[in-house]
Amino acid sequence: IERPLEVTYWLMLMVASHYHEVLVQRRRLPKNPNPPDRVPVICIDSFVSLSAMLFAPERQVLFAGMNPTPSYLRWLQSIGDQHSGRKAESHRRSPHGSEGTVFERNEFLDLSVVIVYYGRIQQKVKESMPLMWVGNPVLVKTYLAKYMGDNRCAAQLEAAV
């Protein structure tokens, strides 16, 4: 892939994340105590790191804005992972392996992703716990709004839903 995917794909995964957390809150799905964190997070703090990002066309970039919280970054990591944990053999054999939202049971693209942000990670906020968003659909909705604001893509949300 030589250019970033249209943001609609990522918004679709983010909307799916919101629905998933609603179902977790309603106790229809089990809470995932340890969402994946395999997606790298990079702070753009120099021209060297910026040029490394610009000349890596095989990677999709999720922009996290300026001064993100640890919880927001961890949520973006779970989005960037594209539910690839479902491919693991242990997931298929588990009793909850066939459960999940319609989005999670579908096959997704297996894209290489990196999350980038400017500034510093905020530590002295109520969202400093990395998994604050798990089981909290209201917080996921605010993260979705933040992502759309940072990336100026609110007009594409309808296409994602």
Side-chain angles (χ1 to χ4, degrees):
I1 295 177
E2 292 193 17
R3 63 187 183 89
L5 224 69
E6 186 178 334
V7 74
T8 305
Y9 175 73
W10 301 112
L11 289 174
M12 180 193 69
L13 291 174
M14 292 173 187
V15 169
S17 170
H18 176 262
Y19 287 138
H20 181 270
E21 299 311 322
V22 167
L23 292 173
V24 167
Q25 186 180 43
R26 293 179 183 171
R27 292 180 172 60
R28 301 282 187 221
L29 289 176
K31 196 176 208 178
N32 186 358
N34 194 16
D37 61 352
R38 294 179 284 251
V39 177
V41 177
I42 299 173
C43 176
I44 303 296
D45 58 355
S46 68
F47 286 118
V48 174
S49 58
L50 180 60
S51 66
M53 292 305 308
L54 293 175
F55 295 111
E58 70 279 354
R59 289 210 167 205
Q60 297 291 308
V61 175
L62 291 177
F63 178 59
M66 292 186 65
N67 305 324
T69 63
S71 180
Y72 180 61
L73 289 174
R74 190 69 187 270
W75 176 73
L76 281 176
Q77 283 181 305
S78 75
I79 298 300
D81 191 56
Q82 305 159 73
H83 303 293
S84 64
R86 76 197 182 302
K87 297 176 186 175
E89 191 65 31
S90 61
H91 180 74
R92 291 183 197 167
R93 283 184 275 154
S94 75
H96 302 294
S98 61
E99 293 181 12
T101 64
V102 172
F103 292 107
E104 293 167 334
R105 288 190 306 253
N106 287 326
E107 290 296 319
F108 291 98
L109 303 172
D110 195 12
L111 302 173
S112 177
V113 181
V114 64
I115 298 167
V116 298
Y117 68 94
Y118 292 107
R120 297 174 188 243
I121 297 175
Q122 296 180 34
Q123 296 296 336
K124 295 185 178 181
V125 292
K126 66 179 180 179
E127 298 168 28
S128 62
M129 292 175 46
L131 300 178
M132 189 81 161
W133 59 273
V134 175
N136 188 345
V138 174
L139 190 56
V140 169
K141 201 174 203 179
T142 63
Y143 289 167
L144 182 56
K146 177 178 173 21
Y147 182 83
M148 289 186 303
D150 290 341
N151 292 275
R152 295 187 174 104
C153 61
Q156 291 174 300
L157 180 62
E158 188 174 333
V161 178

